[in-house]
Amino acid sequence: EMASREDIADPARLLAALDLPLVVKPVRQGSSIGMSIIREPKQLPKALELAFEHDSEVMVEEYVAGREITVGVIGNDELAALPLVEVIPDDKYEFFDYEAKYIPGATKEVCPAEVSDDIRIKAQEYGVTAHRPLQLRGYSRTDMIVSGSNIYVLETNTIPGMTPTSLLPQAAREFGLSFSALLDRLIELALE
């Protein structure tokens, strides 16, 4: 559901449409900035205020518990799905928030993710499927939650982190592309 500023004063519409717990997040913000998980109705107005501080559009969705994975995709017309990365925040973090993302040692990242072949294949298909209709070029990274045998797509990151230890470069390294080779490939794709 898309939230409006009016929902801050009266969140009844959102609470009637969605089951708790909820995730509140700015639509265009990255690194989980302005994002909250809501477990009680009284928390929703404050979470909406925080999200609207970071974006004029705010999304509210039902929280799905599970394992967080991400799949990178490289290419323009011909797409290659990279190996999956599982993100495991330290127990002190409720989700993969800004601090868990950027404090060294706060998160364990497993590449390739230890999932079944069925989950791996489906997640890679979802990554490619997200990349195409969004008309992305060069690269993307789609974040998902695995809950049982189901995969829920959270979002597609059109400008994922690009340091040697970022998630997409980790997956590219497992795919056989060193960091410098990945950058060379992305430059080639940009010039196409």
Side-chain angles (χ1 to χ4, degrees), residues 73-80 131 136-139 185-186 189:
V73 173
I74 296 176
N76 289 333
D77 298 322
E78 292 183 28
L79 302 179
H131 189 96
L136 303 180
R137 301 192 55 79
Y139 63 108
R185 181 66 184 127
L186 295 179
L189 290 166

Side-chain angles (χ1 to χ4, degrees), residues 68 87-97 100 106-108:
E68 185 165 347
V87 176
I88 308 169
D90 186 274
D91 289 343
K92 75 176 191 171
Y93 299 101
E94 189 172 22
F95 64 96
F96 191 41
D97 66 7
T107 300
K108 179 180 176 185

Side-chain angles (χ1 to χ4, degrees), residues 5 13 41 52 66-67 91 111 121 189:
R5 290 187 184 275
R13 176 186 72 85
F52 276 114
R67 298 167 63 188
D91 289 343
C111 184
I121 290 166
L189 290 166

Side-chain angles (χ1 to χ4, degrees), residues 140-186:
S140 68
R141 199 194 77 227
T142 298
D143 300 335
M144 306 171 202
I145 294 286
V146 177
S147 181
S149 61
N150 295 318
I151 300 176
Y152 299 88
V153 173
L154 299 178
E155 63 187 11
T156 297
N157 192 327
T158 59
I159 309 176
M162 200 51 66
T163 70
T165 59
S166 296
L167 298 173
L168 189 127
Q170 284 185 51
R173 187 168 45 253
E174 182 67 26
F175 186 70
L177 289 173
S178 68
F179 187 62
S180 61
L182 170 63
L183 296 180
D184 289 344
R185 181 66 184 127
L186 295 179

Side-chain angles (χ1 to χ4, degrees), residues 87-125:
V87 176
I88 308 169
D90 186 274
D91 289 343
K92 75 176 191 171
Y93 299 101
E94 189 172 22
F95 64 96
F96 191 41
D97 66 7
Y98 185 87
E99 189 174 306
K101 287 177 179 168
Y102 296 110
I103 290 183
T107 300
K108 179 180 176 185
E109 295 156 359
V110 180
C111 184
E114 296 170 359
V115 296
S116 69
D117 286 344
D118 287 347
I119 292 290
R120 178 184 52 78
I121 290 166
K122 195 187 308 185
Q124 288 177 318
E125 287 174 356

Side-chain angles (χ1 to χ4, degrees), residues 14-28:
L14 294 172
L15 292 168
L18 301 164
D19 293 328
L20 292 169
L22 300 174
V23 176
V24 178
K25 60 185 177 182
V27 170
R28 287 177 289 271

Side-chain angles (χ1 to χ4, degrees), residues 23-27 29-37 46-55 58-59 95 97-98:
V23 176
V24 178
K25 60 185 177 182
V27 170
Q29 189 59 260
S31 297
S32 299
I33 295 170
M35 183 174 142
S36 305
I37 295 178
K46 186 176 179 182
L48 290 169
E49 283 180 6
L50 174 64
F52 276 114
E53 286 176 15
H54 297 281
D55 198 339
V58 170
M59 182 176 7
F95 64 96
D97 66 7
Y98 185 87

